[in-house]
Amino acid sequence: MSATDTVEKTMSPTHRRPKNRKRTPYSIFRTVMLVLIVAIFVGPLLWMLLSSFKTNVDIQNTSKAFIFEPILENYRAVIGDGGYLRFVFNSLWIAVGSTGLSLVIGVPAAYAMSRFSMQKSAMLVLMARIIPAISLLVPWFYVFANLGWVGSYGVMILSHMFILIPVSTYIMMSFFDSLPLELEEASLVDGLTPIGAFFRILLPLSVPGIATAGILSFIFSWNNFMFALVLTGRDTKTLPVAVFNFVSYASIDWGAIMAATVVMTLPIIVIALFLQKYIVSGLTAGATKG
Amino acid sequence: MAFVALLIGFPLGWTLYLSLTNAQGSVRSPFDFIGFENYGSVLADTDRFWPAAARTGVFTVGAVVLELIAGMGIALLLRRSFRGQKWVRVSILLPFVVTPVAVAMMWRLILEPNIGFANQFLGWFGIPAQPWLSSPETSLATLLLVDVWEFTPMVAIILLAGLTSLPDEPDEAARIDGASAWQRFWYVTLPLVRPVVIVAVVLRAIDALKTFDLLYVTKGQGGGSFNEAETLNIYVYGLNFQYNNFGVASAVLIIFFLMILAVMWLLTLRKKESDA
């Protein structure tokens, strides 16, 4: 079972049952459960959104949980004087840079591992997923601090690559595994070099796989907190660290924090809404192979 | 592959080396080789290390078990097609793709004992207000619940991919033979989907062991004033970046890593068993 097959099946299982079925007790039970599930998982996020439009007085007032006068002050405060746009730029730059570089390294590596069945390397990639991020951070911090690199964009991009390369290699490996070997054999017979076959035949076919790896990598980098907490300086701070630092002041400005978290999560939610197919296939890559 | 070696070999080797030294203070200050002294003091530390290790275990096992049960329930509900299925799928995708720091902040507000919505909601049903994250006794359990909220959907989506790739025939054969819904699940579906269940368990266990963002954002350094939410990850972070105790932190890391490897080894043993 290949990754792409799974996605298609997960996405369109409509063939299973005829459309007009009777309301059995089970179907009613299921509808109730599904509504509950959606409420449980989306409700808190909606609460975050609601709170971002409340004054801090209204947030403190539990009788104004749902009925209140919406304001935009929180967003104005965050985007206006917080220097918040700077953090948005930092997050974006680091995420795009580390995702791009990870793909440049991860895609050919995955191809090599998939085609020349380098089992040992594959095991090492898996190891890289198992190792806690902090056990990379501790030694690398020591080195980076010694070199005086802490606080630069380069260090952030590099450190994110440590996480993203294994992720993208892993996803691409299961994608290449699903492409038939005959493709290259045919192109070799037709006179392409192995490198040419990779660039001209396989790469165009792997666009969905690369999109999957790229989207997941971007999300991982955008969401990363621990590395950014240690390795960013005043000017290179990313959004998660900026949001976290909001709290360190004496009183918690919940309205502004919620506005900041909404701004931070909006790109991710948009990606999830429009590209959910890729996220699901990335998550389940290799999972259904057993 | 050079980069794989660089990616894993160097950090591990360097950590191993540092763990045998008394490096601390500034990263530029000189240090001496002290053998296994750090390991001895860490393993004898019943004040911070062992409680943190126990919390890591409780948190991980609790998260994996609860998320597996709830995730399986959701996956079974979503297995058959229905109108609006796409929307349910998208909405359960959100909790685990949204930035963990945002999730932690959001729950901090919701679980705030006085102004949070959680206690207000419980109040509607006459349930007394809970202290949630503000009390040392309930902190870890509360964080476990937040983790269940965040990652049950991920488990559900992985299991769903496994369920939809199963053939229909065994289930139908069992139905014709008169098996109940529970029997069909327990004796037919579950054994077939078992490899995927194990993958989900492994992935979740790896991530749960490494949980950092949620704990650090809600409880801060040291996992709260009584270390009530301090796991090994938080403990190492504090040792290394708060106290600059690089040698000891490295020793804890190596021990932590060996523990993770042991768990993974046990799980893959189970997997091989089920494959055979």
Side-chain angles (χ1 to χ4, degrees):
Chain A
M1 176 59 54
S2 72
T4 37
D5 278 351
T6 318
V7 179
E8 267 157 31
K9 279 203 174 172
T10 337
M11 291 299 133
S12 59
T14 33
H15 60 281
R16 282 178 187 275
R17 268 194 184 185
K19 259 197 171 167
N20 297 320
R21 54 178 183 273
K22 293 226 170 75
R23 288 209 171 274
T24 60
Y26 173 71
S27 80
I28 295 165
F29 163 78
R30 198 175 65 162
T31 310
V32 173
M33 287 305 287
L34 288 170
V35 170
L36 259 179
I37 287 167
V38 172
I40 288 171
F41 290 115
V42 179
L45 294 166
L46 288 178
W47 187 256
M48 170 174 95
L49 189 65
L50 273 187
S51 304
S52 72
F53 291 111
K54 288 180 186 176
T55 63
N56 276 313
V57 179
D58 284 353
I59 288 178
Q60 310 269 350
N61 186 346
T62 46
S63 66
K64 290 198 173 174
F66 296 104
I67 300 136
F68 59 92
E69 230 167 90
I71 52 147
L72 286 173
E73 273 311 304
N74 296 323
Y75 287 94
R76 210 166 292 149
V78 162
I79 294 170
D81 22 88
Y84 202 73
L85 289 178
R86 170 98 205 161
F87 306 137
V88 175
F89 170 79
N90 289 344
S91 273
L92 201 62
W93 172 225
I94 291 168
V96 169
S98 55
T99 300
L101 288 172
S102 305
L103 288 179
V104 167
I105 297 176
V107 172
Y111 177 69
M113 287 178 197
S114 163
R115 282 307 187 247
F116 308 111
S117 56
M118 299 160 72
Q119 283 298 323
K120 283 214 177 99
S121 306
M123 273 305 290
L124 280 172
V125 173
L126 201 64
M127 282 279 285
R129 268 185 90 153
I130 293 173
I131 292 181
I134 192 159
S135 62
L136 303 178
L137 185 58
V138 167
W140 281 115
F141 171 77
Y142 201 90
V143 173
F144 292 151
N146 251 314
L147 294 167
W149 287 359
V150 173
S152 66
Y153 287 119
V155 149
M156 280 300 290
I157 292 177
L158 192 63
S159 66
H160 280 190
M161 284 169 64
F162 296 149
I163 302 178
L164 302 188
I165 289 176
V167 170
S168 54
T169 309
Y170 190 77
I171 292 172
M172 288 312 292
M173 240 165 65
S174 63
F175 187 84
F176 284 130
D177 283 347
S178 73
L179 291 179
L181 199 60
E182 285 77 17
L183 277 173
E184 288 113 293
E185 284 167 3
S187 55
L188 292 184
V189 169
D190 287 347
L192 279 174
T193 61
I195 308 259
F198 173 69
F199 278 108
R200 298 172 69 168
I201 308 289
L202 276 206
L203 219 48
L205 280 174
S206 347
V207 170
I210 295 174
T212 303
I215 289 164
L216 274 198
S217 298
F218 180 86
I219 293 177
F220 280 166
S221 172
W222 181 271
N223 285 352
N224 181 285
F225 174 60
M226 194 207 280
F227 281 19
L229 193 60
V230 174
L231 296 176
T232 53
R234 205 165 46 85
D235 295 328
T236 52
K237 223 186 265 177
T238 58
L239 283 173
V241 182
V243 168
F244 176 68
N245 285 350
F246 262 69
V247 183
S248 16
Y249 307 119
S251 72
I252 301 183
D253 184 356
W254 281 116
I257 291 179
M258 288 301 119
T261 55
V262 169
V263 174
M264 172 165 70
T265 53
L266 208 58
I268 301 293
I269 291 180
V270 170
I271 291 175
L273 287 182
F274 291 103
L275 303 169
Q276 68 146 319
K277 174 171 92 162
Y278 295 107
I279 298 179
V280 172
S281 72
L283 279 171
T284 51
T288 44
K289 273 192 301 191
Chain B
M1 305 295 292
F3 81 83
V4 178
L6 187 77
L7 221 57
I8 308 172
F10 166 74
L12 270 189
W14 186 241
T15 308
L16 200 60
Y17 174 66
L18 275 183
S19 73
L20 301 171
T21 69
N22 61 358
Q24 59 171 318
S26 157
V27 287
R28 288 203 177 81
S29 52
F31 51 80
D32 295 317
F33 189 77
I34 55 166
F36 287 92
E37 210 174 284
N38 288 331
Y39 288 89
S41 65
V42 166
L43 290 174
D45 174 15
T46 52
D47 194 34
R48 294 285 289 274
F49 174 77
W50 284 110
R55 275 183 222 108
T56 311
V58 168
F59 186 85
T60 304
V61 172
V64 170
V65 169
L66 291 176
E67 285 157 21
L68 197 60
I69 295 171
M72 183 59 94
I74 294 174
L76 288 171
L77 278 173
L78 288 175
R79 191 181 177 188
R80 304 277 180 239
S81 67
F82 55 91
R83 263 198 325 193
Q85 190 183 31
K86 189 168 175 261
W87 290 104
V88 177
R89 278 170 201 280
V90 175
S91 55
I92 66 168
L93 205 62
L94 295 179
F96 67 92
V97 291
V98 160
T99 313
V101 173
V103 168
M105 280 295 178
M106 175 185 96
W107 281 104
R108 263 183 82 163
L109 174 60
I110 295 174
L111 295 170
E112 223 285 332
N114 299 315
I115 63 168
F117 184 69
N119 279 339
Q120 197 187 345
F121 183 77
L122 290 186
W124 294 344
F125 300 94
I127 302 169
Q130 302 295 317
W132 304 116
L133 296 167
S134 62
S135 147
E137 280 87 41
T138 52
S139 281
L140 199 63
T142 307
L143 289 165
L144 186 59
L145 280 184
V146 175
D147 193 81
V148 169
W149 177 85
E150 199 177 350
F151 290 107
T152 294
M154 188 179 105
V155 175
I157 284 174
I158 293 175
L159 293 179
L160 186 60
L163 283 177
T164 41
S165 69
L166 292 184
D168 283 337
E169 288 77 17
D171 193 63
E172 266 155 30
R175 191 197 303 262
I176 291 165
D177 288 347
S180 70
W182 173 253
Q183 282 173 326
R184 274 183 283 134
F185 168 71
W186 193 255
Y187 295 109
V188 180
T189 309
L190 198 58
L192 283 173
V193 85
R194 192 173 152 163
V196 182
V197 171
I198 291 172
V199 170
V201 167
V202 170
L203 287 181
R204 259 322 285 153
I206 291 172
D207 288 345
L209 281 167
K210 303 194 282 195
T211 307
F212 177 82
D213 301 9
L214 173 66
L215 305 178
Y216 195 79
V217 173
T218 50
K219 298 299 290 185
Q221 277 174 344
S225 30
F226 299 94
N227 306 122
E228 64 265 22
E230 186 175 64
T231 60
L232 285 178
N233 226 347
I234 300 282
Y235 182 47
V236 172
Y237 184 89
L239 276 177
N240 200 74
F241 297 108
Q242 195 182 358
Y243 300 110
N244 296 333
N245 222 331
F246 307 118
V248 182
S250 299
V252 177
L253 260 186
I254 296 290
I255 298 170
F256 184 28
F257 187 56
L258 290 177
M259 286 175 170
I260 294 179
L261 277 188
V263 173
M264 290 306 128
W265 181 68
L266 282 175
L267 282 173
T268 43
L269 274 191
R270 298 281 299 168
K271 188 175 180 208
K272 286 211 182 90
E273 237 169 65
S274 76
D275 285 348

